[in-house]
Coordinates of all heavy atoms in Angstrom, one line a residue:
I8 N 38.9 51.0 -53.1 CA 39.9 51.6 -53.9 C 39.7 51.2 -55.4 O 39.7 52.1 -56.3 CB 41.3 51.2 -53.5 CG1 41.6 51.8 -52.1 CG2 42.3 51.7 -54.5 CD1 42.9 51.4 -51.5
L9 N 39.4 49.9 -55.6 CA 39.2 49.5 -57.0 C 37.9 50.0 -57.6 O 37.8 50.4 -58.8 CB 39.2 48.0 -57.1 CG 40.5 47.2 -57.0 CD1 40.3 45.7 -57.2 CD2 41.5 47.7 -58.1
E10 N 36.9 50.2 -56.7 CA 35.6 50.7 -57.2 C 35.7 52.1 -57.7 O 35.1 52.5 -58.7 CB 34.6 50.6 -56.1 CG 33.2 50.9 -56.5 CD 32.2 50.9 -55.4 OE1 32.6 51.1 -54.2 OE2 31.0 50.5 -55.6
K11 N 36.6 52.9 -57.1 CA 36.8 54.3 -57.5 C 37.6 54.4 -58.7 O 37.4 55.2 -59.6 CB 37.4 55.1 -56.3 CG 36.4 55.3 -55.1 CD 37.1 56.1 -54.0 CE 36.1 56.3 -52.9 NZ 36.7 57.1 -51.8
N12 N 38.7 53.5 -58.8 CA 39.6 53.6 -60.0 C 40.2 52.2 -60.2 O 41.2 51.9 -59.5 CB 40.6 54.7 -59.8 CG 41.4 54.9 -61.0 OD1 41.3 54.2 -62.0 ND2 42.4 55.8 -61.0
A13 N 39.6 51.4 -61.1 CA 40.1 50.1 -61.3 C 41.4 50.0 -62.1 O 42.1 49.0 -62.2 CB 39.1 49.2 -62.0
R14 N 41.9 51.2 -62.6 CA 43.1 51.3 -63.4 C 44.3 51.7 -62.6 O 45.4 51.8 -63.1 CB 42.9 52.3 -64.5 CG 41.9 51.9 -65.6 CD 41.9 52.8 -66.8 NE 43.2 52.6 -67.5 CZ 43.6 53.4 -68.5 NH1 42.8 54.4 -68.9 NH2 44.7 53.2 -69.1
L15 N 44.1 51.8 -61.3 CA 45.3 52.2 -60.4 C 46.3 51.0 -60.5 O 46.0 49.9 -60.4 CB 44.9 52.3 -59.0 CG 44.3 53.7 -58.6 CD1 43.9 53.7 -57.1 CD2 45.4 54.8 -58.8
P16 N 47.6 51.4 -60.7 CA 48.7 50.4 -60.7 C 48.7 49.7 -59.4 O 48.4 50.2 -58.3 CB 50.0 51.2 -61.0 CG 49.5 52.4 -61.6 CD 48.2 52.7 -61.0
V17 N 49.1 48.4 -59.4 CA 49.3 47.6 -58.2 C 50.2 48.3 -57.2 O 49.9 48.3 -55.9 CB 49.8 46.2 -58.5 CG1 50.0 45.4 -57.2 CG2 48.8 45.5 -59.4
E18 N 51.2 48.9 -57.7 CA 52.2 49.6 -56.8 C 51.5 50.8 -56.0 O 51.8 51.0 -54.8 CB 53.4 50.1 -57.6 CG 54.3 49.1 -58.2 CD 53.7 48.4 -59.4 OE1 52.7 49.0 -59.9 OE2 54.2 47.4 -59.9
D19 N 50.6 51.5 -56.7 CA 49.9 52.6 -56.0 C 49.0 52.1 -55.0 O 48.9 52.7 -53.9 CB 49.2 53.5 -57.1 CG 50.1 54.2 -58.0 OD1 51.4 54.2 -57.7 OD2 49.6 54.8 -59.0
I20 N 48.3 51.1 -55.3 CA 47.3 50.5 -54.3 C 48.1 50.0 -53.1 O 47.7 50.1 -51.9 CB 46.5 49.3 -54.9 CG1 45.7 49.9 -56.1 CG2 45.6 48.7 -53.9 CD1 44.9 48.8 -56.8
A21 N 49.3 49.3 -53.3 CA 50.1 48.8 -52.2 C 50.5 49.9 -51.3 O 50.5 49.8 -50.1 CB 51.3 48.1 -52.8
A22 N 50.9 51.1 -51.9 CA 51.4 52.2 -51.1 C 50.2 52.8 -50.3 O 50.4 53.2 -49.1 CB 52.0 53.3 -52.0
M23 N 49.0 52.8 -50.8 CA 47.9 53.3 -50.1 C 47.5 52.4 -49.0 O 47.0 52.9 -47.9 CB 46.7 53.5 -51.1 CG 46.9 54.5 -52.2 SD 45.7 54.4 -53.5 CE 44.2 54.9 -52.6
M24 N 47.7 51.1 -49.1 CA 47.3 50.2 -48.1 C 48.4 49.7 -47.2 O 48.1 49.0 -46.2 CB 46.7 48.9 -48.8 CG 45.4 49.2 -49.6 SD 44.7 47.7 -50.3 CE 44.2 46.9 -48.7
G25 N 49.6 50.2 -47.4 CA 50.7 49.8 -46.6 C 51.1 48.3 -46.8 O 51.5 47.6 -45.9
K26 N 50.9 47.8 -48.0 CA 51.3 46.4 -48.3 C 52.2 46.4 -49.5 O 52.5 47.4 -50.1 CB 50.0 45.6 -48.7 CG 49.1 45.4 -47.5 CD 47.9 44.5 -47.9 CE 47.0 44.2 -46.7 NZ 47.7 43.3 -45.8
T27 N 52.7 45.2 -49.8 CA 53.6 45.0 -51.0 C 52.8 44.8 -52.2 O 51.6 44.3 -52.1 CB 54.6 43.8 -50.7 OG1 53.8 42.6 -50.7 CG2 55.3 44.0 -49.4
P28 N 53.3 45.1 -53.4 CA 52.6 44.8 -54.6 C 52.2 43.3 -54.8 O 51.1 43.0 -55.3 CB 53.6 45.2 -55.7 CG 54.4 46.3 -55.1 CD 54.6 45.8 -53.6
A29 N 53.1 42.4 -54.3 CA 52.8 41.0 -54.4 C 51.5 40.7 -53.5 O 50.7 39.9 -53.9 CB 53.9 40.2 -53.9
Q30 N 51.4 41.3 -52.3 CA 50.3 41.1 -51.5 C 49.0 41.6 -52.1 O 47.9 41.0 -52.1 CB 50.5 41.7 -50.1 CG 51.5 41.0 -49.3 CD 51.8 41.8 -48.0 OE1 51.9 43.0 -48.0 NE2 52.0 41.1 -46.9
V31 N 49.1 42.8 -52.7 CA 47.9 43.3 -53.4 C 47.5 42.5 -54.6 O 46.3 42.2 -54.8 CB 48.2 44.8 -53.9 CG1 47.1 45.3 -54.7 CG2 48.4 45.7 -52.7
A32 N 48.4 42.0 -55.4 CA 48.1 41.1 -56.5 C 47.4 39.8 -56.0 O 46.5 39.4 -56.7 CB 49.4 40.8 -57.3
A33 N 47.9 39.3 -54.9 CA 47.2 38.1 -54.3 C 45.8 38.4 -53.9 O 44.9 37.6 -54.1 CB 48.1 37.6 -53.2
M34 N 45.6 39.6 -53.3 CA 44.3 40.0 -52.9 C 43.3 40.1 -54.1 O 42.2 39.7 -54.0 CB 44.3 41.3 -52.1 CG 45.0 41.2 -50.7 SD 45.2 42.8 -49.9 CE 43.4 43.2 -49.6
M35 N 43.9 40.7 -55.2 CA 43.0 40.8 -56.3 C 42.7 39.4 -56.9 O 41.5 39.2 -57.3 CB 43.8 41.6 -57.4 CG 43.0 41.9 -58.6 SD 43.8 43.1 -59.8 CE 43.9 44.5 -58.8
D36 N 43.6 38.5 -57.0 CA 43.3 37.2 -57.5 C 42.3 36.5 -56.6 O 41.3 35.8 -57.1 CB 44.6 36.3 -57.5 CG 45.6 36.8 -58.6 OD1 45.1 37.5 -59.5 OD2 46.8 36.5 -58.5
E37 N 42.4 36.7 -55.3 CA 41.4 36.1 -54.4 C 40.1 36.7 -54.5 O 39.0 36.0 -54.5 CB 41.9 36.3 -52.9 CG 41.0 35.7 -51.9 CD 41.4 36.0 -50.4 OE1 42.5 36.6 -50.3 OE2 40.7 35.5 -49.5
A38 N 40.0 38.0 -54.7 CA 38.7 38.7 -54.8 C 38.0 38.2 -56.1 O 36.8 38.1 -56.1 CB 38.9 40.2 -54.8

């Protein structure tokens, strides 16, 4: 998802993955 569009808001990525924004932010920090 990030490779295609790194400017997507965390909330949009969370909705696409079925996760919370906090979980997506944690995944980004880990990555």
Side-chain angles (χ1 to χ4, degrees):
I8 292 172
L9 282 184
E10 186 180 32
K11 291 181 179 179
N12 187 357
R14 294 190 65 188
L15 276 177
V17 173
E18 292 77 11
D19 292 353
I20 299 176
M23 295 169 67
M24 298 185 64
K26 291 183 173 294
T27 66
Q30 289 174 320
V31 171
M34 292 175 67
M35 185 173 297
D36 291 339
E37 179 184 1

